[in-house]
């Protein structure tokens, strides 16, 4: 029978993140002869999982049919801790066993799946740091930064924004402005300009990630695989050229792979994400747009939409130059998108949103008629 030690000498602790908390969650399964394993890769109903093997570890191939559900956010994902049956669950000579259960996730990075249906997709599980890689080989897309950071905050992980390919920006002043712009788009988040080619900005990253689970997120061509290679000091991931005509990269990483870092801990490299939709990220949006929401607390009406309402502190901040119009528009856009996703799965909330929309529409008509009748703008006190 498999006896699970809780000490720091457990073979999955140093590199893979096993600890007493996960061991406690595994306790009900330990007496049944099952073993814990960290999911390193998922492929068509099967997973590669790293399990204890004496004083070391080995990788096994396991079937996931027993934990398949209709909820795509609950299927096994890279970074999950799985309960594996390697004794009685053999499906064939080409498999080592089956996944009996998944331990509860501490964090999970979720997005709306790229489909017409309202479905979520888990990108990585049980991560402490989520690195948002944004390439400086093209114009800095602050909207994308805000979108990714919102999802990361919602996941429970700590976001880190890396502006990659910084060697392509030859003017230090320009580079400084780009970093400052990204910091304004991600309050409270560390932003670094890095270059895997020159090594600039990479100091300290290996030490930061040591002993943790980190995930690389970003669109194709953002330089994630090149960054992974720089952190490992070796070519662990395939890298291909970015297309000249549109600056987009090819999907050199096609699966989410869990890789052991030289200094301990693991890094999950993910395929390029062309579309990243909101998925019930209300708290993440509030944190990303904390400046907007702090201004909103000073609005005259608590349900102010920051559009035509009198006494709107947010609109006043835009007019005075305190808040960039782009940032307000991004805030509105992401909140609307998030509400649509939530409403698709919550009929009561959908009815509330429809009622709220009708009220705001009526207020908009009233304010328009008032402007036409008095010939003055809103907020003048007249």
């Amino acid at each position: 029978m498999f006896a699970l030690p809780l000490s720091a000498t457990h073979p999955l602790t140093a590199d893979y993140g096993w600890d007493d908390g996960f061991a406690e969650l595994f306790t009900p399964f330990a007496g049944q002869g099952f073993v814990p394993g960290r999911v390193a890769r998922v492929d068509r109903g099967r997973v590669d999982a790293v399990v204890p093997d004496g004083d070391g570890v080995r990788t096994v191939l396991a079937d996931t049919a027993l934990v398949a559900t209709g909820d795509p956010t609950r299927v096994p994902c890279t970074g999950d801790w799985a309960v594996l049956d390697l004794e009685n669950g053999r499906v064939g000579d080409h498999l080592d066993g089956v996944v009996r259960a998944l331990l509860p996730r501490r964090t999970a990075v979720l997005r709306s799946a790229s489909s017409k249906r309202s479905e979520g997709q888990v990108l990585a599980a049980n991560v402490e740091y989520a690195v948002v890689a944004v390439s400086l080989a093209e114009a800095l897309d602050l909207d994308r930064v805000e979108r990714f950071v919102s999802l990361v905050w919602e996941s429970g992980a700590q976001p880190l924004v890396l502006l990659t390919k910084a060697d392509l920006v030859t003017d230090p002043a320009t580079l400084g402005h780009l970093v400052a712009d990204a910091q304004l788009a991600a309050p409270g988040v560390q932003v670094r300009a890095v270059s895997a080619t020159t090594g600039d900005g990479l100091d300290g990253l290996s030490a930061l990630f040591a002993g943790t689970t980190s995930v690389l997120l970003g669109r194709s061509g953002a330089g994630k695989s090149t960054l992974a290679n720089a952190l490992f000091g070796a070519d662990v991931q395939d890298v291909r050229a970015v297309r000249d005509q549109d600056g987009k990269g090819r999907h050199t990483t096609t699966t989410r792979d869990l890789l052991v870092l030289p200094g301990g801990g693991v890094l999950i490299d993910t395929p390029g994400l062309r579309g990243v939709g909101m998925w019930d990220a209300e708290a993440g949006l509030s944190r990303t747009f904390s400046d907007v929401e702090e201004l909103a607390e000073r609005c005259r009406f608590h349900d102010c939409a920051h559009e035509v309402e009198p006494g709107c502190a947010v609109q006043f901040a835009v007019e005075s130059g305190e808040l960039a119009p782009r940032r307000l528009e991004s805030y509105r856009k992401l909140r609307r998108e998030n509400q649509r996703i939530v409403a698709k799965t919550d009929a009561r909330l959908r009815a509330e949103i429809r009622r709220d929309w009708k009220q705001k529409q009526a207020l908009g008509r009233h304010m328009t008629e008032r402007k036409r009748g008095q010939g003055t703008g809103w907020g003048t006190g007249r």
Side-chain angles (χ1 to χ4, degrees), residues 249-316:
R250 307 172 192 174
H251 286 278
T252 55
T253 302
T254 57
T255 58
R256 299 176 187 90
D257 298 321
L258 187 144
L259 309 167
V260 178
L261 289 164
V266 291
L267 177 71
I268 301 174
D269 193 9
T270 63
L273 301 170
R274 290 200 175 102
V276 182
M278 290 290 100
W279 184 260
D280 197 6
E282 182 69 24
L285 285 169
S286 294
R287 195 157 183 178
T288 301
F289 292 93
S290 57
D291 53 342
V292 180
E293 300 212 341
E294 286 172 7
L295 287 168
E297 292 178 359
R298 304 203 295 265
C299 289
R300 181 183 301 177
F301 301 107
H302 75 276
D303 59 347
C304 183
H306 319 307
E307 293 175 351
V308 297
E309 296 86 348
C312 176
V314 175
Q315 283 289 354
F316 180 79

Side-chain angles (χ1 to χ4, degrees), residues 101-165:
L102 298 177
L103 297 185
R105 294 165 177 160
R106 292 178 179 173
T107 63
V109 182
L110 295 166
R111 70 161 179 174
S112 178
S114 299
S115 68
K116 295 182 179 179
R117 293 182 295 176
S118 176
E119 291 183 349
Q121 179 188 24
V122 58
L123 300 176
N126 298 311
V127 300
E128 283 83 41
Y129 289 98
V131 179
V132 179
V134 183
S135 173
L136 293 180
E138 56 186 347
L140 179 59
D141 189 339
L142 296 176
D143 291 0
R144 183 178 297 121
V145 172
E146 290 161 342
R147 180 179 291 272
F148 270 104
V149 169
S150 296
L151 292 177
V152 174
W153 278 132
E154 187 68 32
S155 76
Q158 171 70 44
L160 171 64
V161 176
L162 297 185
L163 305 182
T164 63
K165 307 182 184 181

Side-chain angles (χ1 to χ4, degrees), residues 184-236:
L184 289 174
V189 177
Q190 183 181 167
V191 178
R192 291 192 185 191
V194 302
S195 170
T197 301
T198 65
D200 290 342
L202 298 180
D203 294 343
L205 285 182
S206 294
L208 179 65
F209 297 152
T212 70
T213 299
S214 305
V215 60
L216 291 175
L217 303 171
R219 65 178 295 184
S220 299
K224 299 188 303 300
S225 294
T226 303
L227 181 61
N229 290 340
L231 290 173
F232 281 90
D235 292 340
V236 295

Side-chain angles (χ1 to χ4, degrees), residues 53-65:
D53 185 25
D55 293 332
V57 298
R58 66 187 176 102
T59 301
V60 298
L61 181 63
D63 186 83
T64 61

Side-chain angles (χ1 to χ4, degrees), residues 64-113:
T64 61
L66 295 180
V67 292
T69 73
D71 183 355
T73 67
R74 296 295 180 181
V75 299
C77 177
T78 302
D80 269 323
W81 284 101
V83 177
L84 294 153
D85 185 347
L86 304 181
E87 297 179 359
N88 306 310
R90 297 184 65 87
V91 180
D93 293 337
H94 57 296
L95 292 174
D96 299 298
V98 297
V99 177
R100 293 286 181 179
L102 298 177
L103 297 185
R105 294 165 177 160
R106 292 178 179 173
T107 63
V109 182
L110 295 166
R111 70 161 179 174
S112 178

Side-chain angles (χ1 to χ4, degrees), residues 1 6 8 11 28 76-77 97 123 133 146 169 171 235 241 246 289 304-305 307 323 328 333 335 365 371-372 380:
M1 184 176 295
L6 301 184
C77 177
L123 300 176
E146 290 161 342
V169 182
D171 178 31
D235 292 340
D246 58 8
F289 292 93
C304 183
E307 293 175 351
L323 180 68
L328 176 57
K333 177 182 178 181
R335 280 187 62 85
R365 285 197 301 267
K371 288 180 185 179
R372 290 173 179 172
T380 62

